[in-house]
Amino acid sequence: MTLLLIQARRDRIVLPAWILGIAFLGFAIAGAVATEFADESERAAIIGMSVARPAFRFIRGLPDGTSIGALVFFQGYSFTAVLAGLMSTFLVIRHTRTDEELGRAELVGSVPVRRAASLTATLILGGAPIRPMSPAGGFRFFRLSDGGSVPGLSRPPIPHRC
């Protein structure tokens, strides 16, 4: 637990910056898609064009309908997934290889902890429950349904208030 707190303290600026950056990308994608493809026929046309190309199907998969929420997920998930993967990779490299090069791994290894304690703390820190909430926050901000963006969470969209 102490090792996890030490790593969280070291990443108190970098990790929130990554999470906020991914959340901002979700906001930007949701806003752009909601304004650009407001009409049902426009959404059907872009989905039809994307489904017709095998490269799009390989990278993004098949869309789940023509609603705005489905199109936002279809357009933006691959980018947010790549950013989340890069963030996790950089986090693990920072807390494993960099610690070995700087000698921190030997300091941790000199106390009676398991060999994989540093890696376990890094994986817990990288898999924090905050990260999957950032795309859902973008969906809720633009009043889209966030069902499926967070496991176990399926709520209807927030009604517009005038």
Side-chain angles (χ1 to χ4, degrees):
M1 184 66 172
T2 305
L3 190 57
L4 178 65
L5 294 175
I6 290 170
Q7 288 183 355
R9 184 173 174 3
R10 280 181 40 206
D11 286 331
R12 68 184 178 269
I13 295 174
V14 174
L15 199 58
W18 270 100
I19 292 170
L20 290 175
I22 293 171
F24 178 74
L25 180 66
F27 288 140
I29 290 171
V33 169
T35 57
E36 187 69 28
F37 302 107
D39 189 33
E40 180 77 24
S41 62
E42 294 173 347
R43 292 192 299 264
I46 191 72
I47 288 176
M49 188 264 318
S50 299
V51 170
R53 292 177 169 74
F56 275 91
R57 285 193 314 240
F58 176 73
I59 293 173
R60 295 183 178 173
L62 292 174
D64 189 29
T66 58
S67 68
I68 291 182
L71 187 61
V72 167
F73 181 80
F74 178 71
Q75 293 284 348
Y77 179 73
S78 58
F79 299 115
T80 55
V82 166
L83 285 178
L86 285 173
M87 180 189 75
S88 299
T89 302
F90 294 151
L91 183 73
V92 169
I93 288 172
R94 178 176 175 171
H95 289 293
T96 54
R97 288 194 167 263
T98 307
D99 284 354
E100 288 177 16
E101 291 174 2
L102 295 177
R104 291 185 198 127
E106 286 79 17
L107 290 174
V108 172
S110 67
V111 296
V113 295
R114 293 186 177 202
R115 184 176 176 197
S118 179
L119 180 62
T120 304
T122 302
L123 292 176
I124 291 171
L125 182 64
I130 298 169
R131 192 176 62 201
M133 295 301 283
S134 58
F139 286 2
R140 296 302 282 179
F141 183 79
F142 286 100
R143 302 188 186 288
L144 302 173
S145 175
D146 57 2
S149 60
V150 177
L153 178 68
S154 63
R155 296 181 293 199
I158 299 172
H160 289 278
R161 296 182 187 154
C162 295

